[in-house]
Amino acid sequence: MAISDANTRGSWNSKLGFILAAAGSAVGLGNIWGFPTQVASNGGAAFLFIYLICAFLIGFPVMVAEITIGRKTGRNPVGAFKALSDNKWTYALIGMWGVICGVMILSFYNVIAGWTVSYVFEEVFYFMGMQDWATYISDTDNGPINAVFSTIFMAATVSIILGGVSDGIERATKLMMPLLIGILIIMIGWVLTQEGAGVGLREYLYPDFSRVGVDLVFDAMGQAFFSLSLGMGALITYGSYLSKKENVPGAAAYVTLADTSIAFLAGLLIIPAMYMAQAQGVAIFDDSGNLLASTSLIFQVLPQLFHELGGTLGMVVGVVFFLLLSIAALTSTISLLEVPVSFAIDEFEIPRKKAAQIIGLGILAISLIISFNTSLIGIFVIIFNNIGLPLGGLLICLFLGYYWKTENALSEMENGSPGIRKTLFAKVWPAFVMVIAPLAIAYNLWTALSNLF
Ligand code: PHE
């Protein structure tokens, strides 16, 4: 066990601890909510196919870059770019952009995470015949209710961060990740045996390639960055606690695989569940004939399905499903909060406890504003997810490739992977970081920005 984890920078106890924590950061609402709903509105397996290409060919090389920068410097994102550039503040801005994106993403993510908890209560109230309460608590535009649940969720996130890297984050994710996978598999097993699920399964796995276009590729890339927690330094921070004994590309491969597998599994749960809901008489298409997605899918179609099932069964399935979402969200919010907290600890020598409390409160203040103005979420998503993360990823690649140099990064990777230079990975990774990923990201950003204006 790390000694006085709360007072030192801290480190992971084991490689598995790092992988679970990083996979916990990656697996979140982006997987269980975002991915299936993107699949639902983007041509089923065609989206899945493009997504996998984005995750493995662009996301994975960027993830290796981030973890390597973190481990080399042992610093938060701002400190890391400073350390690698002889304190040049222009480069530190890349890290600062990451910290800002982390803070802003957490502020709205926390509100949505609050909804997942309020729906656990909604299911129970509905079961107990307290319809009015169920309706009241499940109104996602209800400011005071949003404020209460955002506060609860932020308190849970801060309480884990207070414990430090190994005693807080690692311990919590070691407990939550197996629970999450267990619940997911049991739920899939159950859904797939229900009426209507087969139609959903076909819709999910049968690709409609006529839907593939620039927009779909952009969505898939944005989804991959968000889902893999890339572009804002979460993995620089987690990598900074990683021992020099560990193999960085190997660990990154496990994390990418875990994240994409869980997204795939979530699709196996959600899409068939939608068609199961249809078999129960729930409307799953909107007026223009598109599958309901996003908020309506998770917080409207699925609760209706649980209500149609009725009785104890409906309540248990509903409660377990929203618990699954809450757990997934919590393992992600802790990584989002750890970024600004590690920045405060490293750069301003503020003790962890104080940093976690003050920053947690500050972000909660923004969450409370969003709680009363939920339409802000869409704007935050565009600026900080869709543009902010790919932009961060692009800058990280350019910095590593043209300033720090892939040669130096490979030398850092030799720690824990002495034979790396002889592998195919070492031969192709520099091209991905220097050319392929930056071009793909820049092209996508360009089309997104020109669509916007
Ligand atoms: N990856 C998380 C998800 O899929 C969200 C996240 C983004 C977490 C960026 C940390 C950093 O929900």
Side-chain angles (χ1 to χ4, degrees):
M1 178 160 308
I3 310 154
S4 63
D5 199 31
N7 296 323
T8 59
R9 266 201 108 249
S11 58
W12 308 111
N13 262 334
S14 64
K15 180 180 175 184
L16 180 69
F18 167 75
I19 292 175
L20 284 180
S25 166
V27 175
L29 297 173
N31 300 60
I32 299 175
W33 171 0
F35 178 77
T37 62
Q38 294 256 24
V39 168
S41 39
N42 275 314
F47 183 84
L48 172 67
F49 181 72
I50 305 289
Y51 176 76
L52 290 178
I53 294 180
C54 290
F56 283 96
L57 295 189
I58 297 163
F60 169 68
V62 178
M63 185 182 288
V64 173
E66 283 204 29
I67 300 176
T68 308
I69 291 175
R71 195 180 65 169
K72 168 73 187 173
T73 57
R75 281 281 166 273
N76 70 91
V78 176
F81 286 101
K82 278 205 317 210
L84 291 177
S85 70
D86 282 332
N87 273 326
K88 290 205 179 63
W89 67 268
T90 33
Y91 292 113
L93 284 180
I94 305 176
M96 202 58 228
W97 176 242
V99 174
I100 294 171
C101 285
V103 165
M104 301 312 266
I105 290 176
L106 179 54
S107 65
F108 75 79
Y109 198 95
N110 186 48
V111 176
I112 303 175
W115 295 345
T116 67
V117 181
S118 66
Y119 267 76
V120 171
F121 289 92
E122 188 270 348
E123 291 299 318
V124 176
F125 285 142
Y126 189 89
F127 172 70
M128 290 163 60
M130 299 158 73
Q131 253 80 342
D132 290 351
W133 277 83
T135 313
Y136 181 70
I137 207 168
S138 62
D139 176 4
T140 49
D141 282 328
N142 184 331
I145 287 289
N146 286 342
V148 169
F149 284 98
S150 304
T151 308
I152 294 174
F153 213 89
M154 184 55 83
T157 306
V158 170
S159 70
I160 295 173
I161 292 299
L162 288 179
V165 178
S166 59
D167 291 348
I169 304 175
E170 185 169 353
R171 221 164 54 193
T173 42
K174 263 187 173 159
L175 205 89
M176 290 192 278
M177 287 307 282
L179 192 65
L180 181 146
I181 296 170
I183 295 180
L184 189 59
I185 291 178
I186 292 173
M187 288 200 83
I188 293 171
W190 179 77
V191 164
L192 290 184
T193 58
Q194 305 299 308
E195 189 194 337
V199 184
L201 201 58
R202 224 196 44 229
E203 286 295 321
Y204 180 38
L205 298 178
Y206 182 78
D208 176 3
F209 280 110
S210 67
R211 301 282 283 270
V212 178
V214 173
D215 285 352
L216 185 144
V217 178
F218 175 71
D219 284 351
M221 179 171 310
Q223 173 65 23
F225 266 81
F226 183 73
S227 186
L228 293 167
S229 303
L230 296 175
M232 44 77 61
L235 289 159
I236 296 181
T237 310
Y238 273 18
S240 75
Y241 307 129
L242 184 64
S243 145
K244 296 275 185 201
K245 292 199 306 271
E246 308 301 353
N247 172 341
V248 170
Y254 278 123
V255 176
T256 309
L257 203 63
D259 186 62
T260 43
S261 312
I262 292 189
F264 176 73
L265 287 177
L268 276 185
L269 172 68
I270 308 279
I271 313 281
M274 284 188 85
Y275 285 86
M276 182 183 157
Q278 190 186 35
Q280 299 272 347
V282 177
I284 65 167
F285 292 97
D286 63 17
D287 294 340
S288 27
N290 294 319
L291 267 179
L292 287 173
S294 197
T295 327
S296 348
L297 196 173
I298 300 293
F299 296 108
Q300 191 180 312
V301 173
L302 295 182
Q304 276 183 40
L305 165 66
F306 306 141
H307 297 169
E308 286 301 324
L309 289 173
T312 317
L313 175 72
M315 191 267 288
V316 170
V317 176
V319 165
V320 170
F321 175 74
F322 285 111
L323 272 181
L324 170 75
L325 275 173
S326 310
I327 296 170
L330 188 56
T331 57
S332 297
T333 53
I334 54 182
S335 73
L336 284 160
L337 182 58
E338 181 62 14
V339 174
V341 166
S342 72
F343 168 61
I345 296 174
D346 289 347
E347 304 301 307
F348 301 102
E349 290 177 9
I350 301 175
R352 170 173 286 277
K353 290 210 161 82
K354 205 164 148 193
Q357 284 160 350
I358 296 174
I359 297 171
L361 267 180
I363 299 178
L364 178 62
I366 312 177
S367 284
L368 293 182
I369 298 175
I370 298 172
S371 292
F372 288 91
N373 304 281
T374 47
S375 56
L376 286 175
I377 295 178
I379 302 167
F380 275 45
V381 167
I382 293 178
I383 303 176
F384 300 105
N385 287 9
N386 299 2
I387 298 175
L389 299 184
L391 178 64
L394 174 66
L395 296 174
I396 290 169
C397 286
L398 295 179
F399 174 87
L400 192 152
Y402 298 94
Y403 185 88
W404 185 38
K405 303 275 163 27
T406 50
E407 190 46 38
N408 292 318
L410 284 168
S411 300
E412 168 59 27
M413 284 181 232
E414 280 185 309
N415 298 309
S417 180
I420 193 157
R421 285 185 193 274
K422 289 192 220 84
T423 61
L424 176 68
F425 170 84
K427 295 196 176 67
V428 299
W429 178 75
F432 276 92
V433 172
M434 295 179 73
V435 186
I436 300 170
L439 279 181
I441 301 170
Y443 176 74
N444 268 294
L445 270 176
W446 175 251
T447 30
L449 288 174
S450 40
N451 281 350
L452 214 61
F453 299 112

